[in-house]
């Protein structure tokens, strides 16, 4: 019985953290905006499992908000400073506006 209690108490916080991360990602997918890319950069860090690279773009929305958005490498290479972008609900990253 005490083993079960220990297991629940040790895995409970992990489950809570994973649920928070999933909710944050779900909210990012539901976002919608249009704007212009004002900056882009790549940052990297070295950890236990090797080097991790993050591709980032900064978007100034038409509502005059500044967003720093993590994107995949393909999106990062497709967008440049000054490009108009649109992010629709249900999509992961913004795309160039037509």
């Amino acid at each position: 019985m005490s083993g079960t209690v220990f297991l629940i108490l040790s895995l409970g916080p992990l489950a809570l953290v994973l649920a928070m991360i999933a909710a944050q990602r779900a909210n990012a997918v539901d976002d919608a905006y249009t704007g212009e890319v004002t900056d882009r950069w790549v940052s990297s860090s070295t950890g236990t499992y090797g080097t991790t690279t993050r591709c980032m773009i900064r978007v100034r929305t038409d509502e005059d908000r500044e967003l720093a958005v993590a994107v995949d490498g393909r999106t990062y290479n497709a967008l440049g400073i000054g490009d108009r972008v649109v992010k629709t609900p249900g999509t992961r990253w913004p795309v160039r506006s037509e």
Side-chain angles (χ1 to χ4, degrees):
M1 182 68 161
S2 66
T4 305
V5 171
F6 176 75
L7 184 63
I8 291 171
L9 290 176
S10 62
L11 293 180
L14 177 62
L16 182 62
V17 168
L18 291 175
M20 289 172 42
I21 291 171
Q24 183 180 16
R25 287 187 182 239
N27 287 340
V29 171
D30 291 339
D31 283 348
Y33 55 83
T34 57
E36 181 179 333
V37 177
T38 59
D39 194 12
R40 54 192 296 249
W41 68 95
V42 175
S43 64
S44 61
S45 61
T46 303
T48 306
Y49 299 105
T51 304
T52 302
T53 303
R54 290 186 71 187
C55 300
M56 302 290 294
I57 61 172
R58 184 171 313 278
V59 176
R60 176 168 304 179
T61 68
D62 293 342
E63 292 79 30
D64 213 26
R65 294 186 315 170
E66 289 278 337
L67 304 173
V69 182
V71 296
D72 66 338
R74 179 181 289 172
T75 302
Y76 179 83
N77 290 327
L79 298 174
I81 295 175
D83 285 345
R84 295 281 306 160
V85 294
V86 61
K87 163 73 172 68
T88 56
T91 60
R92 177 107 181 180
W93 296 292
V95 294
R96 185 175 299 139
S97 179
E98 299 296 324

